[in-house]
């Protein structure tokens, strides 16, 4: 693996991926490693604008428009953040290609090969080197959904939708050594240990 890998954090809402990515960036800072960190949708200036457009509470864009905007956001990130830093800096991303497959294909039913084709058009052969996939058990997912605050359009979906999306993430990661499964029901301390031990092995 490259000394400057692309490391992605995936999982459904409330699965703890943002906590983990923040823990990793603290660790990398302490170790004086050079890295960039961004989220999708969002990241570069234009992508943050696209994020607001897709995710604001009043958004009534249809699911095909959403797909094209998630990909537009990725395309902006490729040009502004990924291309120039690829293999020069560690790249940490909060959601990436797998979120599009999990939400837009497994969740919304959009054709998978269409999504993969546009991703390839945007990214060429660039792929994540390692993905931490955060999984939540069904009971905890129900509890989290009850307590949630509607921060954005995608926070309003029903349990069955997130269940489909999480099953999609599981399918994507099955039998693939590039995925580290994080059990979000474990303590943050335990998951931090798993995270840092994995990173120590690859950097
Ligand atoms: P988050 O940044 O708080 O995780 O929320 C982003 C939302 O966008 C989340 O509901 C998942 C959704 N999303 C997609 O549906 N497809 C995508 O390709 C990406 C990157 C995010």
């Amino acid at each position: 693996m490259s000394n400057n890998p692309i490391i992605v954090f995936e999982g459904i809402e409330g699965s703890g991926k943002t906590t983990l990515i923040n823990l990793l960036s603290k660790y990398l800072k302490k170790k004086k490693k050079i890295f960039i960190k961004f989220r999708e949708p969002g990241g570069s200036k234009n992508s943050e604008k696209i994020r607001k457009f897709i995710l604001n509470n009043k958004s009534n864009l249809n699911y095909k428009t959403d797909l094209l905007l998630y990909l537009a956001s990725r395309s902006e990130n490729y040009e502004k953040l990924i291309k120039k830093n690829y293999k020069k800096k560690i790249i940490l991303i909060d959601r990436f290609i797998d979120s599009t497959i999990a939400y837009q294909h497994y969740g919304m039913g959009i054709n998978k090969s269409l999504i993969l084709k546009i991703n390839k058009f945007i990214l060429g052969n660039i792929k994540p080197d390692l993905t931490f996939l955060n999984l939540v058990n069904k009971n905890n997912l129900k509890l989290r959904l009850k307590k949630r605050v509607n921060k954005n359009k995608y926070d309003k979906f029903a349990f069955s939708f997130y269940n489909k999306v999480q099953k999609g993430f599981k399918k994507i990661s099955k039998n693939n050594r590039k995925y580290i499964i994080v059990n979000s029901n474990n303590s943050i301390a335990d998951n931090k240990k798993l995270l840092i031990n994995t990173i120590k092995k690859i950097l």
Side-chain angles (χ1 to χ4, degrees):
M1 193 181 296
S2 155
N3 287 335
N4 290 305
I6 297 181
I7 304 173
V8 174
F9 291 78
E10 294 281 11
I12 56 171
E13 277 76 355
S15 62
K17 62 187 170 48
T18 310
T19 306
L20 276 199
I21 201 171
N22 289 338
L23 285 170
L24 180 54
S25 56
K26 256 191 198 161
Y27 173 82
L28 294 176
K29 259 183 214 156
K30 208 170 80 190
K31 296 284 169 196
K32 305 219 162 13
K33 299 275 184 197
I34 301 170
F35 69 96
I36 61 161
K37 168 172 94 90
F38 63 91
R39 63 179 178 180
E40 283 206 347
S44 61
K45 235 179 173 177
N46 286 336
S47 300
E48 284 294 332
K49 285 186 193 160
I50 296 171
R51 179 187 177 93
K52 274 196 193 138
F53 189 43
I54 314 174
L55 291 176
N56 79 76
N57 259 322
K58 289 185 190 134
S59 164
N60 62 354
L61 300 167
N62 75 60
Y63 69 106
K64 293 179 189 171
T65 309
D66 274 357
L67 167 74
L68 295 170
L69 289 174
Y70 284 121
L71 294 166
S73 154
R74 186 158 306 140
S75 171
E76 282 301 303
N77 285 340
Y78 174 75
E79 285 300 326
K80 301 272 164 36
L81 297 171
I82 300 173
K83 200 161 75 176
K84 65 175 178 219
N85 291 307
Y86 183 57
K87 297 212 163 147
K88 295 191 183 102
K89 291 180 186 174
I90 298 167
I91 301 178
L92 308 182
I93 318 177
D94 189 337
R95 294 194 184 283
F96 202 42
I97 307 162
D98 290 347
S99 274
T100 321
I101 302 295
Y103 283 81
Q104 275 65 49
H105 169 62
Y106 287 106
M108 302 282 187
I110 298 178
N111 182 281
K112 187 175 165 187
S113 53
L114 170 77
I115 301 172
L116 291 174
K117 224 180 215 171
I118 307 176
N119 260 309
K120 174 110 183 155
F121 168 63
I122 295 167
L123 297 167
N125 289 324
I126 292 181
K127 288 193 180 103
D129 295 285
L130 186 69
T131 298
F132 288 92
L133 172 58
N134 289 52
L135 297 178
V136 187
N137 76 26
K138 279 189 188 173
N139 278 342
N140 275 356
L141 172 57
K142 276 186 190 152
L143 281 176
R144 284 169 200 217
L145 289 182
K146 257 191 202 163
K147 281 196 236 155
R148 75 186 155 179
V149 191
N150 283 345
K151 283 185 292 184
N152 68 48
K153 185 168 95 173
Y154 277 63
D155 286 325
K156 290 178 193 151
F157 290 118
F159 168 80
S160 60
F161 175 78
Y162 296 107
N163 203 28
K164 269 199 277 186
V165 171
Q166 178 157 281
K167 274 192 186 159
F169 274 125
K170 282 187 189 166
K171 271 190 201 153
I172 296 167
S173 65
K174 209 170 174 190
N175 300 327
N176 190 329
R177 288 172 53 239
K178 285 185 171 180
Y179 288 81
I180 306 291
I181 304 297
V182 179
N183 179 347
S184 300
N185 309 298
N186 290 345
S187 69
I188 294 180
D190 280 349
N191 287 337
K192 184 180 173 185
K193 242 185 244 164
L194 170 67
L195 170 76
I196 303 300
N197 286 342
T198 309
I199 295 300
K200 277 182 182 163
K201 277 184 216 153
I202 62 161
L203 292 184

